[in-house]
Amino acid sequence: MPSGTLKPLAIELTRPPIDGKHQWKEVFRPSWEASDLWLGRLAKAHILAHDSGYHQLVSHWLRTHCCVEPYVIATNRHLSAMHPIHRLLHPHLRYTMEINALARKLLINADGTIEKSFFPHKYSVEISSIVYDKL
């Protein structure tokens, strides 16, 4: 193992009680036994799937696209096109509103790509809204 590489000691997966089913919790540890090896890899894949959903919804959509929208609007409404700050920001903010409009239309809408592809499915926009409110 190269130095500086993190290796997980264990992965704990938990399912909350849903529809009368009891809470399920299991810890997966790295192993060289065939069945344990594959269970550990499946647990890791499960974590990576959730992490990619979090990244797309929270880190990328909310913390970049959504958070910059008010600044784009304020810049366009209140600064002259000749203002030095407007001229500085314009190349960076130029297509933000169009990109966000397309994202709302195709990616994060009801039954859109995000809801079909990532872990929270129909709760994607609701989770985004809650996290955005807390930002």
Side-chain angles (χ1 to χ4, degrees):
M1 179 170 67
S3 92
T5 301
L6 295 175
K7 185 174 180 180
L9 297 174
I11 296 173
E12 180 182 42
L13 298 179
T14 305
R15 182 191 69 201
I18 300 173
D19 298 330
K21 297 177 184 174
H22 67 284
Q23 181 177 358
W24 176 86
K25 185 185 292 188
E26 190 163 339
V27 176
F28 300 91
R29 292 180 179 82
S31 172
W32 290 106
E33 300 282 328
S35 60
D36 290 339
L37 175 71
W38 284 105
L39 286 172
R41 287 181 180 171
L42 286 171
K44 187 175 180 181
H46 188 77
I47 295 297
L48 291 172
H50 281 278
D51 188 52
S52 69
Y54 180 86
H55 168 76
Q56 289 299 327
L57 284 172
V58 177
S59 300
H60 185 80
W61 169 247
L62 290 178
R63 293 191 175 157
T64 56
H65 291 276
C66 281
C67 288
V68 80
E69 234 176 61
Y71 298 102
V72 175
I73 294 168
T75 300
N76 290 332
R77 283 185 183 170
H78 299 290
L79 295 178
S80 153
M82 297 305 296
H83 193 283
I85 293 176
H86 186 280
R87 293 178 63 186
L88 178 70
L89 292 176
H90 181 71
H92 305 286
L93 306 178
R94 177 193 257 165
Y95 299 113
T96 302
M97 298 303 284
E98 291 88 351
I99 291 169
N100 289 0
L102 281 172
R104 284 186 182 93
K105 182 179 177 184
L106 302 172
L107 299 175
I108 65 165
N109 62 342
D111 207 31
T113 303
I114 296 291
E115 286 192 2
K116 289 179 181 175
S117 303
F118 294 109
F119 71 92
H121 297 294
K122 66 180 182 178
Y123 302 108
S124 298
V125 176
E126 183 180 351
I127 290 170
S128 296
S129 176
I130 292 167
V131 173
Y132 185 76
D133 187 44
K134 293 183 180 195
L135 287 175

